[in-house]
Amino acid sequence: PVRRAAPRRAAARAMGAGKACAPLGSDEEKTSLIDSTKVFVFDCDGVIWKGDSVIDGVPEALAYLRSKGKRLFFVTNNSTKSRAGYLKKFTTLGLDVQAEEIFSSSFAAAGYLKQQGFPEDKKVYIIGEVGIVEELDLAGIKHVGGPEDAGKKVELKPGEMLVQDPDVAAVVVGFDREINYHKIQMATLCIRENKAEFIGTNPDAVTHLTAEQEWAGNGSMVGAIKGSTNQEPTIVGKPSQFMLDYMAKEYGISKSEICMVGDRLDTDIEFGNAGGAKTLLVLSGVTTEGTLLSPDNSIKPDFYASSMPELTKLA
């Protein structure tokens, strides 16, 4: 999958180059987009919420789309929670969402391994949090590392060495607030010596952990392992097509009837463009209008708006 990533991204950017990249303004444009779309796929951070705060107007906008018979899915690159964990967050924020409507990159990692026929007698080494653990458990996949390796220190005494589990056949690198040198070394040993597959949940440079500022994203964790192994990971979250392909197959959806709504050009919009979906960029998260319209930007959506609720604001 990694070796196909560059051509696929090039294709996505080529598709984006022909997009209108128009501000979503008139009622006619909004109605046309809604009427021509059967499924809306939303990113979460920066689109539905920021940190632990729902973006104004989101509950009403989701209710409006449901009233029009639209199917809604929520896709997040954040791997710290499982689908069950994200359901709790939606519920706590007062959003009416069902578990089967949620797709996290932790779910994508487990789904990818299952789809690849990961051997029952092999294990996954985790850099990441409880979301990956829970999804691997649900998939019946053995694992080591993750939260159980939090706090472990490497003292580098004379003769000290770490010994990796020889049964580890894959390393999953997700967002990890407890990342440490022990985890980096164990992942490196598994990939370099066990020839384990290197899987990244997502390549995001920054993430919205709080509403006050952007925080270093999973790209920093994946980057550490890329640096120590000289290998590129298989990415299972956006912009990889794994989750979009799964949705289309599982629910019998034509990708041309999907609209991807997100705040990131290089993940959300590229994800939609590569799959042949309609794309709507919202400026309530990472991307500014200046960045979008810059001549240096080659990734273009069909439309853009200040926030997701603008889609359903009709005169």
Side-chain angles (χ1 to χ4, degrees):
V2 175
R3 287 182 288 275
R4 293 195 297 269
R8 178 168 264 176
R9 285 196 170 195
R13 290 192 173 106
M15 291 177 70
K19 296 280 189 174
C21 193
L24 190 64
S26 70
D27 286 1
E28 184 179 353
E29 288 173 333
K30 296 175 184 179
T31 301
S32 175
L33 178 57
I34 292 171
D35 288 348
S36 64
T37 301
K38 288 186 176 180
V39 179
F40 284 91
V41 178
F42 299 100
D43 177 47
C44 295
D45 298 326
V47 177
I48 303 299
W49 59 62
K50 273 193 170 184
D52 289 320
S53 303
V54 177
I55 291 173
D56 288 345
V58 163
E60 295 80 5
L62 295 179
Y64 177 84
L65 292 173
R66 290 192 191 278
S67 75
K68 293 294 184 180
K70 307 304 176 183
R71 185 186 287 272
L72 310 182
F73 290 114
F74 303 86
V75 178
T76 174
N77 266 357
N78 192 326
S79 65
T80 59
K81 295 181 178 68
S82 62
R83 286 166 295 170
Y86 270 106
L87 181 60
K88 289 180 183 177
K89 178 163 185 174
F90 276 101
T91 302
T92 299
L93 293 175
L95 298 170
D96 183 18
V97 172
Q98 304 304 309
E100 60 268 21
E101 295 176 321
I102 302 168
F103 291 83
S104 64
S105 61
S106 52
F107 163 76
Y112 170 80
L113 288 166
K114 201 169 180 180
Q115 187 182 76
Q116 296 298 308
F118 193 74
E120 291 183 4
D121 61 337
K122 296 298 183 181
K123 300 175 186 175
V124 173
Y125 184 79
I126 301 170
I127 290 180
E129 301 189 15
V130 68
I132 297 172
V133 171
E134 290 178 353
E135 291 293 352
L136 290 179
D137 284 342
L138 287 170
I141 296 172
K142 297 176 183 176
H143 54 83
V144 293
E148 68 185 35
D149 281 355
K152 290 187 177 180
K153 294 184 178 180
V154 176
E155 297 183 10
L156 296 178
K157 296 176 182 177
E160 182 178 4
M161 63 181 289
L162 297 183
V163 179
Q164 79 278 15
D165 188 326
D167 291 331
V168 169
V171 173
V172 173
V173 181
F175 187 80
D176 191 338
R177 286 167 288 190
E178 299 288 342
I179 193 168
N180 55 42
Y181 191 60
H182 175 95
K183 293 182 181 182
I184 292 172
Q185 176 67 355
M186 290 299 289
T188 300
L189 290 171
C190 290
I191 293 168
R192 295 182 68 164
E193 298 185 6
N194 289 15
K195 308 302 181 186
E197 183 174 5
F198 176 18
I199 299 166
T201 59
N202 70 85
D204 294 355
V206 297
T207 186
H208 292 111
L209 297 178
T210 66
E212 286 72 27
Q213 66 178 178
E214 293 177 348
W215 297 79
N218 195 54
S220 61
M221 286 78 176
V222 169
I225 307 306
K226 284 173 62 174
S228 65
T229 62
N230 288 320
Q231 291 193 33
E232 290 291 327
T234 297
I235 297 295
V236 293
K238 299 170 292 183
S240 162
Q241 290 296 289
F242 178 80
M243 289 191 282
L244 198 62
D245 289 343
Y246 181 94
M247 258 180 253
K249 183 177 179 181
E250 186 76 7
Y251 297 96
I253 302 165
S254 169
K255 292 181 184 178
S256 64
E257 297 173 320
I258 294 173
C259 179
M260 176 66 210
V261 183
D263 69 316
R264 295 174 185 267
L265 292 166
D266 61 349
T267 52
D268 300 325
I269 302 308
E270 191 160 322
F271 175 68
N273 286 351
K278 304 179 202 64
T279 49
L280 170 62
L281 179 81
V282 294
L283 304 176
S284 51
V286 170
T287 307
T288 65
E289 188 173 26
T291 299
L292 170 65
L293 301 179
S294 167
D296 296 328
N297 170 44
S298 61
I299 306 173
K300 305 291 186 181
D302 290 292
F303 300 99
Y304 68 94
S306 60
S307 66
M308 187 277 278
E310 284 297 318
L311 173 64
T312 60
K313 285 184 181 177
L314 304 176

